[in-house]
Amino acid sequence: MTYPVLPKPASDQMRVRPHIADIDLARQGFTWDAVAKELGWLPGGDLNKAYLCIDRHANGPLASKLAMIWEGKGGEEERYTFADLKAETNRIANALAQLGVKKGDRVFLFLDRVPELYFTFFAALKLGAVIGPLFSAFGPDPVRDRLQDSGAAVLVTQPDLLRKVEGILGDLPALKHIVVLRRNTAEQPVANRRCQDYAALVRGASSSFTIVPTSYDDFSVMHYTSGTTGKPKGAVHRHLAILQQYATGKWVLDLHPDDIYWCTADPGWVTGTSYGMLAPWSNGVTQVISQAGFSARGWYQTIQKHRVTVWYTAPTAIRMLMKAGEALPARHDLSSLRHICSVGEPLNPEAVMWGMKAFKQPIHDNWWQTETGAIMIANYASMPVRPGSMGKPLPGVEAAVVDAYGKTTTPGTEGDLALRPGWPSMFQTYWNNRPLYESRFRNGWYITGDRARMDTDGYFWFVGRSDDVINTAGHKVGPFEVESVLLEHPAVAEAAVIGKPDPLAMEIVKAFVALKDGYQPTDELRHSIMQHARARLQSIAPRELEFRPSLPKTRSGKIMRRLLKAQELGLPLGDTSTLEE
Ligand code: ATP
Ligand code: MG
């Protein structure tokens, strides 16, 4: 099956004019100084993400604009303006200062997606602290690993979450304070000498606060990577990253002042902070934050209820929506949606085409990783989408496909996806692991760990992670191509392929498949899927296919092929701290 290039929308048909009319033109002669100027930042002056996201708006005409529409698990709602955010963040900043939190201290957040998570994040930035957000679904081991590795001084959490990890507290001598948020006063306080009650700290704290001076180079946020390919690494970002987070909010998410924006990612991974906090609020945009987890019906209801206009989500979620069928979106009023973006895994062409049916518009794939801090390669609102492609690099970003020596390859050749260091949101190190950081560079390029190809028009195409590429009978097979073909079969909801050692072919392609509702894992169906794959892929089609009720994924929704491989080969599973249960 070949997929059509989706036509570039005529500008008079678009509800708003895209910020970037022509990406190739925008890339010419671009400098980041223009973005700095737009944000009002003078190089050499202080730069603080919290100021740019909150106080700047609260001190100006946007003070009474709605910043956050929060929807709780039970459907309850809370609303905060930029002025409210300034007051709330100032109160908790004063409270943390009282506890002795200083510039450079690591403050870790282990909270559900509740408003206080957002208040504390920006409060700690105002103090010049370094934030480490953790998924609330983590168990004791991943929490201990991250608090130990970072030497965190403060943990902000909730009683039920703290009880879950109580057993690790003795292993954390550097942890001075545990701030416990009880949203519901019926929740029992936790008795531990290091515990402080959030409400008691904030009560009586002043709503004025002078931001501790931070330079562009000071660390601001550290995120542990998803752990898809191995033990998670703590990528550290500085305040300067806000330039790129702001700019990509405009160029890629195409945010405009009257948008209602919804990012479905949890702040436990980088999309949930770069695009669930920093990009929308540095752009002064209203965002919806939903505490509830995934449910197809619930998600459509959220879009309908809040008239969401711009939606940023992930391929796994889109595949789950596809699994739930097309009738469901048709029963909701999703007419407010004008722009949809996706990140986290490759977006299969089938999913882009499904978006055309379900939402009457393409889903715009974009590529980046924890280390890059912000979007690097994207499909832009004004650009024709080539389904299956990640799009083109941002203005101010130099991306290339390089060979084993770090030399750029000719268009069409597969190689390592590489980036020229120096973009504003580039990670500064892996915490406690400088040698690993340094090992990621080759001939002046940062090597991303992904394999890709660029076509003659400058579009980038994802092949697979370097670790996942399969070597079968002399062919290098990228999992993405094979999985995308498997997903074209009407019965297939999810697919992952691995290389299984083989005495003749070196490796054979083995597929793992989860079926859509209503399909049974029969031999006949296996035959039908393999036939379809053979017709489309010939020699690189899977030789074996195993049905699974679901595929192992990280908490950020990424399929863990290394686990499938380890299980297949009977090897140790390695780090499973981020595995979704
Ligand atoms: P770890 O580094 O711990 O193995 P991880 O790489 O999955 O985990 P993240 O930084 O959360 O951790 O994910 C970034 C990776 O996700 C990218 O390097 C890439 O492999 C994949 N990815 C993200 N967006 C896309 C996309 N649009 N297309 C293809 N792959 C993507
Ligand atoms: Mg990675």
Side-chain angles (χ1 to χ4, degrees), residues 225 229 233 369 371 465:
T225 58
T229 57
K233 308 155 284 251
Q369 51 180 202
E371 290 85 344
R465 290 159 179 277

